[in-house]
């Protein structure tokens, strides 16, 4: 049996890396492959889920204690005799496990980058973490045998250009169940009824309320749009550390009746159907799965130009600089609101994001 130690997972529900790793487990597990996971704190529900699939999960120290984490991972590898260590990370600061794998002479060490920035609330701390990231980045690549990214931009954030441009680097796009998001008139009417929306122009956004997603700029854009389009409504799906701050900003601007804060939802596929336009003004992204999902739902999409153009899979997805004013963003949205027939959307490169393509790539990375 091929033994794989994969990290880092949280609770199986917390974000893109969790979703990716659970897809990885389902796609490659079998009699010839055993997969165990690294985490910082064991979630009982996730542990039970993994146990049913004959996988174990190990709790290790957080990044606040890198030496302790290094020693723990060395011990886990020694006892488990793993053939592959597969680390999915967002920053090069998360390097202790990679160095532990190299110390233990694991045959293959796979590094997979899932971001292109540090999601830290404090500007000062973010600057400090960026500096530490770039210091760690100088040597992190020396630990690995294989390199991956959810986009080329994510790869360049984590690895030197010489690595990203070499055959040792591959892009594995975040998978989307494209059929699940296809435009559906019945679901559209159903969800708009639930949200008490009639003939309003609905702008939507899905994402955690954190620095990365840039909600305060989005609220400014919507405020400018609302002045020119009184029937506009903004749907915000998600939760996070900035949720209450955003809620207060909405109240201060007098937009409570027009901004619907929906919190955490498991039915984003249905919510996309109720929207008319999708906006993603992120400060950075590895590759935004929600942007691909929105396009699969036939929505016109406007994203910040900090986002890689690999996220564009239809002719009705555009990129705009965050240096542009909220008024300019609002004008762009209004001038493109009628650009698309959702029944006739052409997905283009969407096959690169399919679940079947992901399965092929994940199986290949184990056996190449």
């Amino acid at each position: 049996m091929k033994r794989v130690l994969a990290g880092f997972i949280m609770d199986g529900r917390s974000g893109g890396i969790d979703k990716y790793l659970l897809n990885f487990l389902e796609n490659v597990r079998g009699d010839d492959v055993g997969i165990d996971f690294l985490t910082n704190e064991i979630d009982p529900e996730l542990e039970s889920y993994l146990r049913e699939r004959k996988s174990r999960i190990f709790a290790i120290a957080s990044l606040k204690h890198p030496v302790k984490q290094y020693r723990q991972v060395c011990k886990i590898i020694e006892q488990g005799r793993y053939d592959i260590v597969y680390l999915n990370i967002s920053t090069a600061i998360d390097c202790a496990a990679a160095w532990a794998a190299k110390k233990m002479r694991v045959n293959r060490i796979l590094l997979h980058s899932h971001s292109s920035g540090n999601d830290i609330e404090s500007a000062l701390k973010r600057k400090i973490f960026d500096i530490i990231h770039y210091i760690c980045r100088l040597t992190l690549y020396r630990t690995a045998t294989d390199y991956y990214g959810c986009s080329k931009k994510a790869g360049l954030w984590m690895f030197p250009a010489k690595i990203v441009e070499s055959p040792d680097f591959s892009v594995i796009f975040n998978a989307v169940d494209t059929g699940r998001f296809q435009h559906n008139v019945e679901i559209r009417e159903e969800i708009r009824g639930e949200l008490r929306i009639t003939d309003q122009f609905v702008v939507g956004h899905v994402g955690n309320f954190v620095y990365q997603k840039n909600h305060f700029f989005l609220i400014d854009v919507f405020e400018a749009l609302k002045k020119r389009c009184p029937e506009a409504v903004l749907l915000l799906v998600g939760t996070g550390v900035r949720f209450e701050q955003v809620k207060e900003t909405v109240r201060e601007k007098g937009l409570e009746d027009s901004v619907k804060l929906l919190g955490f939802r498991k039915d984003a596929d249905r919510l996309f159907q109720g929207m008319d336009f999708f906006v993603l003004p992120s400060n950075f992204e590895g590759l935004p799965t929600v942007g691909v999902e929105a396009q699969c739902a036939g929505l016109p999409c406007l994203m910040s130009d900090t986002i890689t153009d690999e996220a564009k899979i239809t002719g009705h997805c555009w990129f705009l600089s965050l240096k542009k004013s909220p008024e300019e963003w609002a004008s762009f949205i209004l001038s493109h609101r009628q650009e698309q027939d959702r029944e006739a959307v052409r997905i283009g490169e969407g096959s690169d994001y399919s679940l079947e393509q992901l399965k092929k790539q994940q199986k290949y990375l184990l056996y190449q």
Side-chain angles (χ1 to χ4, degrees), residues 214-231:
N214 207 10
H215 281 83
F216 295 120
F217 181 78
L218 177 57
I219 296 300
D220 288 342
V221 171
F222 180 72
E223 181 183 32
L225 187 150
K226 182 75 175 176
K227 291 176 181 177
R228 296 174 53 183
C229 181
E231 72 275 15

Side-chain angles (χ1 to χ4, degrees), residues 264-327:
F264 175 76
R265 297 282 293 252
K266 294 183 178 181
D267 60 344
D269 53 328
R270 295 177 66 246
L271 293 170
F272 281 126
Q273 302 300 327
M275 300 174 188
D276 298 306
F277 208 106
F278 187 79
V279 183
L280 195 67
S282 301
N283 285 308
F284 66 88
E285 293 279 354
L287 190 140
T289 304
V290 292
V292 176
E293 292 171 345
Q295 290 173 81
C296 289
L299 288 169
C301 297
L302 178 60
M303 306 184 191
S304 57
D305 66 357
T306 61
I307 296 173
T308 174
D309 59 8
E310 291 161 289
K312 180 183 176 73
I313 64 170
T314 73
H316 297 275
C317 176
W318 306 275
F319 302 88
L320 203 61
S321 172
L322 291 173
K323 295 180 181 178
K324 299 286 187 181
S325 68
E327 289 74 21

